[in-house]
């Protein structure tokens, strides 16, 4: 028999007699025998006979396709043709065997091979070790069988349909991985396999069971997770594509309806299973693992590109609808009562994850539209609807406005058609959104006030709408929480008076319900958030929080808070029974009264604390002081109450940090942040009031001494530390742009609480006061926090930091920038670190955004400071260089412990993205910005040496900014522009809070820092260069064009408000002091100018004259003189001009002659300081010209000598002009002792009238100066005596002096005197006039017709001064300090002086002849109301008989 040798070979072949396989036998015969066609045919016949006796095809296939055979097939590709021949012969034999067996059985070969292969697959799945997965051995066997099946398929010898039917006959033992393997290797795809199932319900159950097992394993994170995820993804893609076919899909027309039904049924079963499991609130069950694995399929990227977009949208839209409508068993009343338990933080994190995945695919707009459609058309599960709304507004900020618009449309529809369902839906949605905090949605109280608190509310259309509203609110009463009823009562809808019963009925009903719930309206605190979802606090606890908040507001404003005032009147029971006892809790009073003590004293002065309570408080405090030790121990035990909520917050933050490094947990970060927010609310307690009020007001911060309460600081430190740690943990794993949105969610949580002021205060402490001591992780974390605070700037209030922003409030990014200073080496280096970290993080985090959009995250000032620091510290950065085209900014190396900040800063500077950012105009470091920052440097603590600093200044001014165009922030090559900017910034700096170490000098309250002097030195150098540029004869601006310095002064003074109040007057005086400070530090030629080429004189003192007459005369002079420094500076300039001129004497005479008519105060100032001026002037003049002084200087010298020798017998006659001699005499008389004044002035009888009149004028000004200065009583008495002597001298010589009280600038003789004194002195002339009442000669008062006119005019002006409040400046201090005898005119109040003046007038009026009243009507026109009695007396006397008597003086005051 042909098979005998084969059988013998099989038995005895091989070294050990092992049995050989069929393939080995065939291969051996091929090698030993030569090819013979006849023998080949005989061999085939013999093989067919053998197969007839061996019909177990399964065993034959397993034998033929053993691993060794497979090994031979694989070696075909490596070794050559031998293996290929062997493989071909095996395949050929298998095909021949199947054909022969099919022929013998009378069945198609494809059916036979399908049945055999199905049996083989089922045998592989026998005794599974896993619900869905194959074991390694099973997978190996299946692989061998699949190779044969693929070969049969390739030769059309395999029936897929029969194979599928055979498999389904034993579906319970069929493993899903085996099916997946067949699908992936092209034997039969999933769709074909599922389509062939005879029982739709059974197939759906099989799929559901296997999907559930598969998701369990994925949720448990098994080792084969990649395979399982691929299996799940592939199946879900098939189900979605077949279950949600688009209308344009051609398969929808040819495929039967069974497959789409099965697909949707399986997807719905899995969703229902997930929702049921989450409703049961599992913790760590297998079902929970299955849900966790299943939720991962709701991601757009799983099906992206493999499923049509419309199918994908249909699936997610259908899923959202199924979630919202699943088991709608809850009623609206249940939702009203239970919705506070459905907030984002309290919803299971897997359910919120499911919401997020569905919503992010649909998008906020489509999601809101789907919500609206479902609520209008179907019954819904209110828990799912409202928890979905919470997720929508928390995780999708852009959806917040969409929800607001949706609510507005619901409200409009409700009141237009009286649609109750719309009303219910709107209220439920609003209340749900407000549960998530004010950073997400306005508080319920704010929304209710906005909707119904005005005449434009939804309810204001008619009575019917009012009835509809109150009927709805009344129906809510049995079900809603007390908080909402309190909102409705405290912020009721605006109702017309005729419909007020509707409101009162509702309020009565709500109050009754609150009483049933044992909730009193008085239980509401002054600062309590009525819309807070938490439980109502106990009265005592809420009162303590109200006290804390009231004290905090009092610290910021210095006034009693309005809620406290209102409560003291309208909520008296709560105020007296709860608020005051909490405020007046006994304690050990501090030695220095604190804010609480000041607040108590302020309330006591305002009669807001009953005396009995206040006395009891003082006694209790005295007792507490004796028991200080016991009180201290009790106080130490108090914080233990807060340890529990603080511990829960710490645990929540640690859980959040654990999620940072696990990308698989990014989906639950939002939920964990919500948990942190909830724990933060609990830690803050009831003091965490309505955040909406914070968002709408400014935050007042005390930057210089920032302080925090102990509990607030503990919470803030915990949050800031957690943020820094989270950032480091996340950055160690992925770069910022790939991180989850945890940071922005974290910051939004902080922004939604009342803790924001405390956070900013702590940032002030850390950045402004402790910056150089911060470690690298702190710097990185706080820098990233600053970026995200900037990102949330739209929802943050502005900050008023006081001295850091005297002009107004700042947005949060600008406020944080203001905390960074560059004054010292340490602060400069810290500023470099912080700016480097913040900019690097921002550029990396928002790398996909254009550079201009970064303005919302970073303050332009911070980027400018970074440029300033880099250019200052690194000379290599000053040279232009091509930016490095790096892939990203250097953020990742920064969090390493060995980070080199300087190299990081330089790397950022050279980064292409950063250089592109600097091209934006708002980020230019302009010349003005550079000056501002450089002025802050303290040279004694500077990182640069004096030489390095000088070199840096020279480079910055002359190389960088001087040639730079003005459009780019430079000077455009204009030296005058550079000087102008320096002057403006110097003046701003010296008046800002940046200039510290203020001097106590009343004339110059400026910083005395050498840092300013460095920049001032640059200005002086540039001013000299500017003068030299124009030639030695004509400095710029000294001919027809005004000097740049005076232009700066004029522009700044014009920008200031007129001094109509004390504050504006002081502000203007400060500005003038700085002007004078700068004038004194620039060349004196600025004041006087220089002669022009070819001209003997130069009339260029106009600018300085105008400054003196309009400004310095009013604010910087003592009576009728300027200070010595500005006076000597002017005369130095005069000498300098003379030295440069062709005729020095002519120039000097011309300038001083101009002073007589245009600026006489310069000459009077020279007379006062002549003893110091004369040596300088005379010595230098004689040294330069070897000649006597010019004529006009000689006049001053003669006037001084005249006054000095006035009392001697050898006194010379008074020189002209007389007013100069009178001024010199006035200054001399002031130095005479009081007892010698009368004797000294005896010679006045011999002087000219003009000298006496002007001397009286100067004396009156001296008297007023003594009023204003009030430094010495003796000085005042001497001033009075001087005025009296001069006045009596004029009276003796019968010379009129009344014209001094009626001077005008048009007066040819004396008008120039008005330019000598401040305007205030002119306004106060009525005070001087009536202070000399006792020295008026009775005969002179009647003899001169003008006296009555002047007296009345002075009286009316005196009354007007009193009305305007100017007498308060003088008289109260005068009456207190001046203890006079015989000078009682100014004793007492201003009213007493006016009364005495009025008595004098009423006594004088009947004594004056009728001709004295000729012009009285014009005098009283418009001013008669000042004193009606005096006015009537004047008019009656003007018309009365000469015998008219006014002895009875009416009492008006």
């Amino acid at each position: 028999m042909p098979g005998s040798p084969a059988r013998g070979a099989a038995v005895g072949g091989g070294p050990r007699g092992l049995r050989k396989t069929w393939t080995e036998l065939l291969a051996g015969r091929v090698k030993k025998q030569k090819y013979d066609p006849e023998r080949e045919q005989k061999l085939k016949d013999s093989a067919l006979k053998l197969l007839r006796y061996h019909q177990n095809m399964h065993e034959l296939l397993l034998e033929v396709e053993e691993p060794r055979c497979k090994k031979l097939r694989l070696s075909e590709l490596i070794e050559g043709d031998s293996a290929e021949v062997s493989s071909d012969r095996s395949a050929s034999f298998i095909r021949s065997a199947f054909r022969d067996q099919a022929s013998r059985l009378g069945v198609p070969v494809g059916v036979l091979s399908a049945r055999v292969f199905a049996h083989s697959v089922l045998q592989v799945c026998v005794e599974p070790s896993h619900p869905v997965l194959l074991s390694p051995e099973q997978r190996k066997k299946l692989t061998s069988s699949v190779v044969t099946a693929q070969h049969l398929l390739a030769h059309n010898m395999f029936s897929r349909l029969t194979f599928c039917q055979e498999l389904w006959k034993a579906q319970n033992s069929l493993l899903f991985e085996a099916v997946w393997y067949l699908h992936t290797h092209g034997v039969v795809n999933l769709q074909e396999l599922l389509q062939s199932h005879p029982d739709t319900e059974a197939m759906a159950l099989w799929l559901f069971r296997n999907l559930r097992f598969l998701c369990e394993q994925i949720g448990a994170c098994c080792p084969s997770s990649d395979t399982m995820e691929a299996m799940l993804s592939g199946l879900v893609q098939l189900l979605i594509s077949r279950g949600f076919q688009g209308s344009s899909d051609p398969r929808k027309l040819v495929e039967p309806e069974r497959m789409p039904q099965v697909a949707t049924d399986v997807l719905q079963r899995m969703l229902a299973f997930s929702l049921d499991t989450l409703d049961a609130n599992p913790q760590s069950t297998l079902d929970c693992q299955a849900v966790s694995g299943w939720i991962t399929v709701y991601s757009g990227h799983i099906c992206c590109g493999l499923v049509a977009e419309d199918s994908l949208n249909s699936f997610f839209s259908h899923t959202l609808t199924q979630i919202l409508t699943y088991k709608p068993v809850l009623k609206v009343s249940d939702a009203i009562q239970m919705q506070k338990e459905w907030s984002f933080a309290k919803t299971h994190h897997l359910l919120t994850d499911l919401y997020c995945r569905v919503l992010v695919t649909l998008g906020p707009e489509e999601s809101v539209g789907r919500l609206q459609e479902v609520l209008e058309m179907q019954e819904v599960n209110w828990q799912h609807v409202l928890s979905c709304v919470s997720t929508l507004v928390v995780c999708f900020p852009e959806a917040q406005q969409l929800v607001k618009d949706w609510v507005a449309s619901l409200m409009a529809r409700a009141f237009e058609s009286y649609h109750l369902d719309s009303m219910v839906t709107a209220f439920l949605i609003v209340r749900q959104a407000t549960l998530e905090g004010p950073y997400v949605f306005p508080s319920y109280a704010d929304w209710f006030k906005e909707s119904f608190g005005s005449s434009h509310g939804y309810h204001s259309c008619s009575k019917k709408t009012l009835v509809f509203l109150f009927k709805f609110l009344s129906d809510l009463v049995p079900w809603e929480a007390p908080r909402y009823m309190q909102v409705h009562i405290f912020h009721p809808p605006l109702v017309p008076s005729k419909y007020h019963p509707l409101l009162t009925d509702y309020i009565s009903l709500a109050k009754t319900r609150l009483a049933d719930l044992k909730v009193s309206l008085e239980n509401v605190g002054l600062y309590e958030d009525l819309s807070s979802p938490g439980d109502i606090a106990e009265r005592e606890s809420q009162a303590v929080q109200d006290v804390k908040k009231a004290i905090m507001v009092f610290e910021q404003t210095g006034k009693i808070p309005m809620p406290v005032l209102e409560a003291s009147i309208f909520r008296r029971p709560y105020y007296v029974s709860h608020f005051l006892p909490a405020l007046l809790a006994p304690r050990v009073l501090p030695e220095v009264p604190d804010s609480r003590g000041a607040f108590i004293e302020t309330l006591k002065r305002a009669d807001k604390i009953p005396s009995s309570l206040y006395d009891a408080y003082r006694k209790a405090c005295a007792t507490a002081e004796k028991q200080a030790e016991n009180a201290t121990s009790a106080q130490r035990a108090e914080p233990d109450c807060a340890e529990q909520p603080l511990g829960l917050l710490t645990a929540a933050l640690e859980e959040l940090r654990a999620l940072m490094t696990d990308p698989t947990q990014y989906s639950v970060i939002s939920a964990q942040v919500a948990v942190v927010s909830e724990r933060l609310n609990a830690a803050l307690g009831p003091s965490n009031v309505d955040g909406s009020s914070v968002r709408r007001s400014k935050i007042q911060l005390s930057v210089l001494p920032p302080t925090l309460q102990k509990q607030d600081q503990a919470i803030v430190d915990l949050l800031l530390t957690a943020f820094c740690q989270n950032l480091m943990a996340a950055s160690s794993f992925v770069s910022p742009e790939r991180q989850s949105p945890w940071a922005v969610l974290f910051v939004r949580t902080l922004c939604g609480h009342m803790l924001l002021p405390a956070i900013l205060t702590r940032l002030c402490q850390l950045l402004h006061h402790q910056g150089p001591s911060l470690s690298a992780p702190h710097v990185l974390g706080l820098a990233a926090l600053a970026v995200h605070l900037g990102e949330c700037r739209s929802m943050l209030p502005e900050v008023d930091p006081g001295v850091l922003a005297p002009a107004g409030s700042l947005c949060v990014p600008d406020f944080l920038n203001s905390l960074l200073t560059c004054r010292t080496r340490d602060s400069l280096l810290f500023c470099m670190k912080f700016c480097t970290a913040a900019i690097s993080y921002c550029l990396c985090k928002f790398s996909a955004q254009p550079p201009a959009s970064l303005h919302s995250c970073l303050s332009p000032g911070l980027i400018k400071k970074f440029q300033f620091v880099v250019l200052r510290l690194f000379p290599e950065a000053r040279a232009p260089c091509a930016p490095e085209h790096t892939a990203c900014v250097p953020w990742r190396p920064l969090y390493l412990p060995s980070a080199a900040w300087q190299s990081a800063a330089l790397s950022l500077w050279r980064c292409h993205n950063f250089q592109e950012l600097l091209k934006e105009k708002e980020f230019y470091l302009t010349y003005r910005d550079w000056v501002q920052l450089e002025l802050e440097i303290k040279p004694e603590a500077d990182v640069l040496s004096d030489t390095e600093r000088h070199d840096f200044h020279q480079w910055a001014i002359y190389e960088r900014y001087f040639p730079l165009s003005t459009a780019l922030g430079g000077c455009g090559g204009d030296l005058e522009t550079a000087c102008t900017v320096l002057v403006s910034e110097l003046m701003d700096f010296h008046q800002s809070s940046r200039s510290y170490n203020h001097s106590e000098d009343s004339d110059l309250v400026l910083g005395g820092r050498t840092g300013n002097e460095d920049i001032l030195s640059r200005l002086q150098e540039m001013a000299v260069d500017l003068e030299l540029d124009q030639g030695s004869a004509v400095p710029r601006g000294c001919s027809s064009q005004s000097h740049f310095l005076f232009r700066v002064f004029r522009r700044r003074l014009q920008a200031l408000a007129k001094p109509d109040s004390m504050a504006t007057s002081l502000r203007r005086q400060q500005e003038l002091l700085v002007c004078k400070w700068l004038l004194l530090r620039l060349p004196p030629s600025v004041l006087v100018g220089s002669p022009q080429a070819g001209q003997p004189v130069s009339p260029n003192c106009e600018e300085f004259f105008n400054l003196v007459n309009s400004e310095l005369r009013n604010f910087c002079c003592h009576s009728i003189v300027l200070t010595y420094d500005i006076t000597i500076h002017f005369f130095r300039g005069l000498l300098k001009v003379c030295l440069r001129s062709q005729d020095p004497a002519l120039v000097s005479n011309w300038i001083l002659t101009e002073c007589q008519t245009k600026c006489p105060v310069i000459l009077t100032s020279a007379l006062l300081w002549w003893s110091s001026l004369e040596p300088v002037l005379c010595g230098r003049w004689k040294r330069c010209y070897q000649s006597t002084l010019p004529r006009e200087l000689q006049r001053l010298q003669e006037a001084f000598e005249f006054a000095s020798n006035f009392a001697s017998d050898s006194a010379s006659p008074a020189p002209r002009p007389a007013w100069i001699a009178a001024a010199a005499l006035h200054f001399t008389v002031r130095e005479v002792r009081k007892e010698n004044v009368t004797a000294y002035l005896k010679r006045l009888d011999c002087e000219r009238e003009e000298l006496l009149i002007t001397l009286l004028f100067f004396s009156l000004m001296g008297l007023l100066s003594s009023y204003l200065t009030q430094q010495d009583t003796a000085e005042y008495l001497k001033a009075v005596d001087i005025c009296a002597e001069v006045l009596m001298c004029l009276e003796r010589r019968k010379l009129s002096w009344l014209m001094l009280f009626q001077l005008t600038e048009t007066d040819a003789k004396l008008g120039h005197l008005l330019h000598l004194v401040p305007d205030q002195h002119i306004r106060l002339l009525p005070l001087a006039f009536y202070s000399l009442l006792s020295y008026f000669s009775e005969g002179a008062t009647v003899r001169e017709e003008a006296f009555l006119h002047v007296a009345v005019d002075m009286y009316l002006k005196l009354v007007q001064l009193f009305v305007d409040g100017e007498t308060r400046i003088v008289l109260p201090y005068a009456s207190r300090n001046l203890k006079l005898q015989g000078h009682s005119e100014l004793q007492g109040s201003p009213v007493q002086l006016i009364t005495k003046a009025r008595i004098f007038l009423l006594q004088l009026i009947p004594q004056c002849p009728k001709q004295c009243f000729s012009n009285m009507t014009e005098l009283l026109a418009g001013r008669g109301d000042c004193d009606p009695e005096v006015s009537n007396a004047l008019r009656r006397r003007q018309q009365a008989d000469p015998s008219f008597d006014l002895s009875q003086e009416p009492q008006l005051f």
Side-chain angles (χ1 to χ4, degrees), residues 1262-1318:
L1263 177 62
L1264 290 175
S1265 295
S1266 67
Y1267 286 165
L1268 295 173
T1269 56
Q1270 302 170 15
Q1271 295 177 349
D1272 188 5
T1273 301
E1275 199 65 33
Y1276 164 78
L1277 296 176
K1278 185 167 67 174
V1280 171
D1281 290 344
I1282 293 173
C1283 290
E1285 289 296 329
V1286 177
L1287 183 64
M1288 287 187 294
C1289 179
L1290 290 169
E1291 292 290 347
R1292 287 194 299 268
R1293 297 179 58 177
K1294 295 183 172 49
L1295 298 176
S1296 177
W1297 46 268
L1298 296 175
M1299 75 286 294
L1300 293 178
F1301 296 92
Q1302 294 179 307
L1303 285 177
T1304 62
E1305 292 186 2
T1306 58
D1307 191 326
K1309 293 184 178 181
L1310 301 176
H1312 63 278
L1313 296 178
L1314 296 178
H1315 295 293
L1316 285 167
V1317 294

Side-chain angles (χ1 to χ4, degrees), residues 720-937:
L720 295 182
T721 302
F723 185 90
C724 296
Q725 292 173 344
N726 290 345
L727 180 75
M728 299 302 292
S731 298
S732 64
F733 189 72
V734 293
S735 57
E737 73 275 15
R738 297 174 54 200
Q739 294 176 17
S740 68
W742 71 269
V744 68
L745 293 176
F746 193 96
V747 171
R748 284 175 182 165
T749 299
L750 301 184
C751 298
H753 294 83
M754 276 295 292
L755 200 63
L756 181 60
I759 291 173
L760 295 179
T761 300
R762 186 62 175 142
L763 288 176
C764 175
Q765 293 176 344
L766 295 173
L767 301 181
H768 194 63
H769 298 278
Q770 305 172 26
S773 62
L774 295 179
S775 63
H778 287 113
V779 174
L780 295 172
L782 295 180
L785 178 64
V787 171
H788 288 291
L789 285 172
E791 187 183 8
C792 300
R793 71 162 63 193
S794 60
M795 59 188 293
L796 299 179
E798 291 188 335
V799 181
D800 185 0
V803 296
L804 289 185
S809 55
L810 302 172
C811 64
V812 170
D814 290 342
F815 165 70
L816 296 178
N817 171 63
S818 69
L819 300 179
L820 303 174
T821 62
C822 303
R823 293 172 182 166
T824 65
R825 172 191 175 88
D826 292 339
S827 62
L828 189 79
L829 294 178
F830 170 71
C831 183
M832 178 198 68
K833 295 178 183 179
F834 189 89
C835 293
T836 302
I839 298 172
S840 299
Y841 179 82
C842 187
L843 289 176
C844 189
K845 181 72 175 177
F846 307 104
S847 57
Q849 299 183 13
S853 63
L854 300 182
H855 173 64
S856 60
C857 302
L858 291 176
S859 169
L862 185 138
I863 296 180
K864 292 178 180 180
K865 280 183 180 176
F866 177 74
Q867 298 176 65
F868 172 78
V869 171
V870 170
L871 293 173
R872 205 170 196 279
L873 291 179
F874 309 117
E876 58 268 34
R878 302 170 193 171
C881 61
E884 298 176 358
H885 290 269
T886 53
C888 61
V889 292
W891 163 256
R892 191 173 180 84
L894 290 179
Y895 62 81
L896 299 176
S898 59
W901 286 102
Q902 295 186 0
S903 62
L906 277 174
S907 179
L908 174 61
W909 175 263
R910 298 188 180 108
C911 177
H912 174 72
N913 290 342
F914 180 73
Q915 291 298 326
E916 289 297 314
L917 183 67
L918 297 185
K919 295 179 181 179
E920 300 294 328
K921 186 174 182 180
E922 59 189 350
F923 298 135
Y924 291 169
L925 178 66
T926 65
Y927 176 57
R928 187 178 299 274
D929 298 327
W930 177 83
V931 172
Q932 291 174 356
L933 292 170
E934 190 64 32
L935 281 171
E936 293 187 8
I937 299 294

